[in-house]
Amino acid sequence: MFTERTSVGLDVHARSVVAAAIDGVTGELVQVRLTPSHDDIRSWLRRLEGPVAVAYEAGPTGFGLSRALEAVGIRCEVVAPSKLQRPSGDRVKTDAKDAVHLARLLRLDEYVAVSVPTVEQETARDLVRAREDARGDLMRARHRLSKLLLRQGFVYSGGQAWTGAHDAWLRRIGREFGSPVLRTTFESGYDAVLTVQGPP
């Protein structure tokens, strides 16, 4: 249940934050553009009639802002974008409209909040994402190299690919290219595999 005097909606981006605050007593709407600095946002929130509650959409900027506001006693709800109710017929989307809409939904308790992970949980998620990205990069690099070799008529038949024996075959094949251009293309692809793969 909404109990604070002022509801604030933040449309958060990497380089700017558009904020809208609704004073529940006077009905006044205040809108500003802020920097994404947590200090800048906190400083502006402190100038509003309190207590204050804040909502912003979950997104690529993460949950640091939520933690920074909660740390100074400001309730902050991170809202699931896919569950946001949008005004019917409103097809023109702007940052300012989004901020006001969030402020209104917060006041009405008409939103679905996501669970804010701890710093440790978010760090673990980032590590898992980084591993998945690296794995995808390796698969793409291997695929490009394999297709280059296939186009040149080289097919490995000495067992499982991407083993020590396969690597020795690749190095031997690399010396067999007669064209300097093809050799350079092969070396570039092979180096890309080794770079992404890392040390054995």
Side-chain angles (χ1 to χ4, degrees):
M1 188 171 88
F2 189 84
T3 58
E4 292 83 358
R5 172 167 174 167
T6 303
S7 62
V8 176
L10 300 177
D11 195 60
V12 180
H13 298 282
R15 292 182 177 83
S16 69
V17 173
V18 175
I22 301 172
D23 186 317
V25 174
T26 66
E28 180 185 10
L29 171 65
V30 178
Q31 293 178 277
V32 296
R33 183 174 292 273
L34 304 165
T35 72
S37 157
H38 296 172
D39 289 338
D40 190 26
I41 295 167
R42 279 190 302 241
S43 175
W44 179 73
L45 291 172
R46 285 192 191 103
R47 295 196 295 269
L48 300 173
E49 293 293 336
V52 173
V54 176
Y56 72 92
E57 290 183 49
T61 56
F63 299 96
L65 176 58
S66 173
R67 291 190 205 100
L69 296 180
E70 293 281 355
V72 294
I74 298 172
R75 180 167 70 95
C76 183
E77 301 290 346
V78 182
V79 178
S82 61
K83 302 286 178 72
L84 270 182
Q85 299 177 20
R86 299 285 179 191
S88 60
D90 188 2
R91 290 186 173 84
V92 180
K93 187 179 183 304
T94 68
D95 296 345
K97 278 185 178 180
D98 285 351
V100 172
H101 187 56
L102 281 168
R104 288 181 176 145
L105 291 178
L106 177 63
R107 178 163 294 282
L108 297 170
D109 287 318
E110 294 290 330
Y111 60 89
V112 175
V114 300
S115 176
V116 176
T118 65
V119 173
E120 293 76 18
Q121 288 170 329
E122 195 167 15
T123 301
R125 286 181 187 176
D126 285 338
L127 179 61
V128 169
R129 286 186 189 112
R131 186 185 185 287
E132 289 171 352
D133 289 344
R135 182 77 183 141
D137 291 344
L138 178 59
M139 299 270 293
R140 284 186 289 277
R142 286 176 170 177
H143 183 76
R144 283 191 298 270
L145 184 60
S146 295
K147 295 307 175 192
L148 170 68
L149 293 172
L150 185 59
R151 286 193 301 272
Q152 302 309 313
F154 295 108
V155 178
Y156 180 66
S157 58
Q160 190 166 350
W162 311 112
T163 60
H166 181 249
D167 187 64
W169 177 80
L170 285 172
R171 283 185 271 113
R172 188 175 66 254
I173 290 299
R175 294 190 292 271
E176 293 183 17
F177 284 107
S179 162
V181 175
L182 272 177
R183 192 176 311 114
T184 300
T185 305
F186 168 82
E187 288 170 357
S188 174
Y190 182 62
D191 287 346
V193 171
L194 294 181
T195 300
V196 179
Q197 185 173 277

